[in-house]
Amino acid sequence: MVHLSEGTSHLQALVPAAVGCFVFVSLSLVALRGPGKRNPVNRLFAAVSFLGGFINADMILVTVVTHDGLAITIDRLAYILIIFSIPLYIRFTHRFLGVGRPRLEQAALALSLLILPLTQSGYFIRGHHEYSFGRIAHAGPVFHAFIAVAAVAVTYCLLLL
């Protein structure tokens, strides 16, 4: 493990995650309160933005918490929501473009539900690596599968866009 050097402040290391959290949560609030706030696409965009903020908040918490066991617990609990980013992003892209592919959305949701119980185990997150910018999860095999599926989903959505 690489530990934070004494010259590097945790505060400085957390600035990008704090800015990301603020920006994503702000986008979410604008989508929910601005024009078209009742539009389902805006609500889905708000949910995607909220998850972006939530991921950044998780990075902050996991870095600030000094107890390794508690940091792993926080990270694993955060993935209870984060695991649903794939079906949410696909659904948002479909609604935004007016594409009707409910079976793909259902398959993505089913995959997230299948992975969900494993997020609380070492098969998902085994521990953490520490860097100057904070702690990052030491991925287990299910986490790697999740990231691979996320990459396919993002590629699919970008191709649609």
Side-chain angles (χ1 to χ4, degrees):
M1 259 201 227
V2 177
H3 294 282
L4 293 173
S5 69
E6 291 183 34
T8 303
S9 159
H10 275 284
L11 183 61
Q12 288 175 329
L14 296 175
V15 168
V19 170
C21 182
F22 175 77
V23 168
F24 279 118
V25 170
S26 296
L27 283 171
S28 184
L29 292 173
V30 167
L32 290 174
R33 297 186 162 268
K37 60 186 172 190
R38 299 194 195 283
N39 182 333
V41 173
N42 284 18
R43 289 181 180 184
L44 287 166
F45 178 75
V48 169
S49 297
F50 173 79
L51 270 179
F54 186 76
I55 290 167
N56 280 278
D58 174 55
M59 289 175 63
I60 293 167
L61 279 173
V62 167
T63 297
V64 170
V65 170
T66 56
H67 186 271
D68 287 338
L70 181 57
I72 290 169
T73 300
I74 290 169
D75 224 2
R76 287 178 178 165
L77 288 173
Y79 274 94
I80 290 172
L81 285 181
I82 296 168
I83 201 77
F84 292 101
S85 60
I86 296 170
L88 178 64
Y89 187 56
I90 291 171
R91 186 172 180 93
F92 164 71
T93 304
H94 284 172
R95 294 302 170 275
F96 180 73
L97 296 174
V99 173
R101 294 189 181 142
R103 288 200 176 153
L104 179 59
E105 293 173 19
Q106 291 166 355
L109 180 58
L111 183 62
S112 291
L113 289 169
L114 182 69
I115 294 172
L116 180 61
L118 298 171
T119 62
Q120 303 308 298
S121 73
Y123 293 111
F124 199 79
I125 296 175
R126 294 180 177 189
H128 288 104
H129 295 286
E130 226 171 294
Y131 300 97
S132 61
F133 54 83
R135 281 188 183 139
I136 300 295
H138 176 90
V142 177
F143 189 93
H144 288 294
F146 169 71
I147 294 302
V149 171
V152 169
V154 167
T155 302
Y156 165 77
C157 290
L158 288 173
L159 289 172
L160 279 180
L161 291 168

